[in-house]
Amino acid sequence: MTDLTGTTDPATELGGDSTADNTAAAIDRAACERLDAADPLRAFHDDFIVPADTIYLDGNSLGARPKGAAERAREVIEDEWGEGLIRSWNTAGWFELPGMLGDKVSGLIGGGAGSTVVTDTTSINLFKAASAALRIQAEDAPDRRVILTQRENFPSDIYMLQGLAEQLDDGFEVRLVDDAEVTAGFPTSMTDEVALVVLTHVNYRTGRLFDMRSTTQAIHDGGALAIWDLCHSAGALPIDLAGHGADMAVGCTYKFLNGGPGSPAFVWVSEALQNRFAQPLSGWWSHAKPFEMSPDYAPADGIRRFLTGTQGIVSMSVAEVGLDVAARADLGAVREKSLALSDLFIDLVETRLAHHPVEIVTPREHAHRGSQVSIAHEEGFAIMSALIDRGIIGDYREPSILRFGLTPLYLGFADVWDTVEALRDILDNRLWDTPEYKVRGAVT
Ligand SMILES: *Cc1c(COP(=O)(O)O)cnc(C)c1O
């Protein structure tokens, strides 16, 4: 029998007693509170608005609101739009926002200055980047007609690549590979037909993280180009695109970068390919001299070439607030806390929910784990509904997966404790088993 309530020695509470290894068997809420008190990122909590009585575990889908976002929106709407009117394209720097914000994103993904723009959506940017990569390959390796991507990739990425392959109508084909094939360096799929490999850095459903350096190397060794989708890793862990030799990357700003619902995405191109790429959505914002209004297209030098047309300036301006918060945080510390939170989550599920049929889907190895914990249970949807009803907000993904995003800037260790305890109550007492928790909305 273990007494979880009467201990006073912190080492014991943290599982460091003389016999046990460092498991969570003896951790309790007070120990979690002490971890929170010693957390070097704790002050960032005050940069965000999270409603009272809410534990927000969906920052991997829509980040919480940075406090400054409302004031920035007011400024853009009342001052820049209301007073400045059309003058604000120049006086408020609206026209320069894609590149200005792009440099801020670049600092978080190891891209280098002048190599990233914030614009459009991830889906659209992926279409543009994949087209651009295939045009480069059409010069360098014209017989290659295959695009590889993960079978378990976020569906929009797969759909956009399939749409592109159909559009090209020249024998282009998208082939889907399993995560294990990617992790092993493409032993069977990397043939001399492969032009391009598009990979999402962290699997949105399982939380599996892929090694960017070795995987990019395997892609290049096979003669293909590598595009990385950073939707579930930008802002959650240190990334070194240029250092790892990636060719292009895309990602969104509304997940771990807290840019706001539907905030614009980003696209990055390596220095080596900067003036080699061309993309098919060549609107006037990508023109070398857009205000000459020439009927002849001439692409801008550098990354502006990835732009298309006029952007949603309110949304783009608000996204900057989230990027500025992220820029102040040490991403190494963010990663360290993220892993500590997910270790705790996994340990508590294993020890305190052991009597229930829950399966931990997220890889245990730190090197293969993003910033979330996914667990599977047959009644996952109803269980998540019951949790959300208590103000503990994660989400559900088919099949059977309860997904908990761990955002170190506004989540603490006691939040993880409270979440697993609520799960225990819901499972022990079958509180999920009511018709109201089984009704699905349009968005899950
Ligand atoms: C969230 C996400 C998207 C979203 O794309 P949108 O164009 O913003 O809808 C795309 N790809 C991946 C891998 C994602 O995680």
Side-chain angles (χ1 to χ4, degrees), residues 48-119:
F48 294 91
I49 306 266
V50 179
D53 304 321
T54 301
I55 300 178
Y56 193 58
L57 297 144
D58 223 346
N60 55 330
S61 200
L62 173 63
R65 168 157 85 84
K67 263 187 193 150
E71 173 55 19
R72 183 72 189 113
R74 191 208 58 75
E75 220 172 68
V76 178
I77 292 169
E78 288 186 6
D79 304 344
E80 296 180 8
W81 180 17
E83 298 293 324
L85 292 165
I86 200 162
R87 292 168 289 196
S88 286
W89 284 107
N90 288 318
T91 56
W94 287 352
F95 193 66
E96 303 306 327
L97 276 176
M100 197 267 280
L101 267 57
D103 280 344
K104 293 191 178 197
V105 170
S106 212
L108 300 166
I109 57 178
S115 61
T116 310
V117 277
V118 168
T119 187

Side-chain angles (χ1 to χ4, degrees), residues 121-124 153-154 156-157 200 202 204 229 231-232 252 254-255 265:
T121 68
T122 300
S123 301
I124 292 172
N153 202 344
F154 188 80
S156 195
D157 292 32
T200 294
V202 173
Y204 75 101
D229 184 328
C231 275
H232 283 273
C252 52
Y254 55 76
K255 292 173 181 165

Side-chain angles (χ1 to χ4, degrees), residues 249-266:
V250 297
C252 52
T253 63
Y254 55 76
K255 292 173 181 165
F256 287 102
L257 293 173
N258 309 304
S263 60
F266 61 85

Side-chain angles (χ1 to χ4, degrees), residues 40 52 67 79 173 178 204 241 247 286 309 329 331 345 397:
K67 263 187 193 150
D79 304 344
E173 172 193 346
D178 292 333
Y204 75 101
L241 282 171
D247 298 301
S286 71
L331 275 174
F345 203 120
R397 287 290 176 267

